[in-house]
Amino acid sequence: MTEAEIAPRPPTAGEHEAYCAVERQLAILLRRANAFSAGMGRKVHPELDPGAYGLLVRIEQSSPMRSSDLAAYLRVGRATISRQLKGLEELGLISRSPDPEDGRAHLLALTPEGSRRLHDARSAREGQLRTLLAAWPEEDVRLLGRMLERFNMLTEGLNL
Amino acid sequence: MTEAEIAPRPPTAGEHEAYCAVERQLAILLRRANAFSAGMGRKVHPELDPGAYGLLVRIEQSSPMRSSDLAAYLRVGRATISRQLKGLEELGLISRSPDPEDGRAHLLALTPEGSRRLHDARSAREGQLRTLLAAWPEEDVRLLGRMLERFNMLTEGLNL
DNA sequence: ACTACTTGGTTGCCCGAAGCAACGATCAAC
DNA sequence: GTTGATCGTTGCTTCGGGCAACCAAGTAGT
């Protein structure tokens, strides 16, 4: 506890353990990510596939936006986004209008129907999370949210 | 802070906000999960695909184990596990020996080579995490690890 | 002991997600 | 105005994963 401050760079044993724990738990979570979000999405709405939910969330909070930005934000190629957006447009959940300032780009926005569906899905997911975290005190839930937010912010500007 | 204990069930406004924050950040993390673990795995070892890492971790800490248990733990079907294990066996990273107590089951274990590769990959991943979390004080890293662990434990016995 | 059901594991078939490359269309710069 | 970069879309492929069928091996019922 005393030598930690003296040596800022050498790989401390306790430091190693802390990173290793994060690495371990993150590996578990990421490995289960598919099954988890599928499980969440399945109960929310059969037709609104799990992947689409993440798109709608982002579109809502940053519309109007271009699909390239969405792709960069989610760390996937533009091709993937394009296909998923096509599906969402056919379902009438989003609209793609040409950007008046850039003839190449399209501006994305939620339709009223899309907005309604998103809010339904969100409250359903919140309900599932509520039952999952039922045993936690509210303060811990809040803390988990903050830690996840901080972690997500780290990967924001990164092209890893 | 006073009324929370009195009313254990009504959906408090602050409570709602807390769950909503977790839901939001979790959605982001899960949506990026593919790209993230792919990014981690790519730099670790080109031939050891990202999904395999999670299997090796679990096999190491719980060997000898059966593939069904592995499937249940990772929330995927036995078919998926079977295929991935076949690949790992062909690479010489794991061994599947018949269970002496149950003629149907196979017992999984890491080979020395598999153990070596796993440790290499783990320290590489820890290194990446270290650069990612470089700005965090050690205590926060530890806290993140604990919160993730608690969250993962919630989904442990669950068949969601 | 013979049959019937259950469980562990593998394989075939299919689907969805995602990357890569190529393309048309549109800016931007020189 | 020609060249180069950028935005979006589409074909092709790969990979992960679910579903169902199957075999082998336990387990239970009679």
Side-chain angles (χ1 to χ4, degrees), chain B:
Chain B
M1 198 203 275
T2 57
E3 300 186 17
E5 296 88 354
I6 303 176
R9 249 291 154 239
T12 314
E15 213 185 29
H16 166 75
E17 190 212 359
Y19 282 113
C20 204
V22 173
E23 191 275 327
R24 195 170 343 120
Q25 299 303 324
L26 203 54
I28 297 175
L29 183 59
L30 291 180
R31 191 62 180 73
R32 286 179 177 166
N34 268 322
F36 191 77
S37 45
M40 295 272 281
R42 198 178 313 119
K43 297 181 185 174
V44 166
H45 236 6
E47 22 155 348
L48 185 59
D49 56 275
Y53 178 77
L55 273 69
L56 294 180
V57 170
R58 181 62 176 174
I59 294 175
E60 184 195 44
Q61 84 178 44
S62 298
S63 69
M65 74 183 312
R66 291 176 303 176
S67 70
S68 311
D69 300 338
L70 196 52
Y73 180 74
L74 297 175
R75 309 277 189 276
V76 296
R78 285 169 299 170
T80 304
I81 294 295
S82 174
R83 278 184 279 262
Q84 295 190 341
L85 289 179
K86 188 171 70 173
L88 291 179
E89 191 179 28
E90 286 168 358
L91 288 173
L93 304 181
I94 64 166
S95 64
R96 281 187 288 187
S97 51
D99 186 341
E101 298 180 359
D102 189 337
R104 301 167 293 181
H106 291 204
L107 292 181
L108 305 173
L110 293 183
T111 63
E113 172 71 6
S115 182
R116 198 182 61 75
R117 284 285 182 82
L118 174 58
H119 285 88
D120 289 357
R122 176 176 288 147
S123 41
R125 288 170 62 110
E126 188 194 336
Q128 295 187 247
L129 212 55
R130 194 180 291 269
T131 65
L132 192 63
L133 298 177
W136 288 28
E138 181 183 338
E139 191 180 349
D140 289 3
V141 177
R142 211 176 288 277
L143 184 58
L144 176 63
R146 276 207 307 273
M147 298 306 287
L148 288 178
E149 183 185 3
R150 287 179 60 192
F151 183 79
N152 282 332
M153 282 196 301
L154 283 184
T155 66
E156 205 77 355
L158 205 48
N159 49 341
L160 84 172

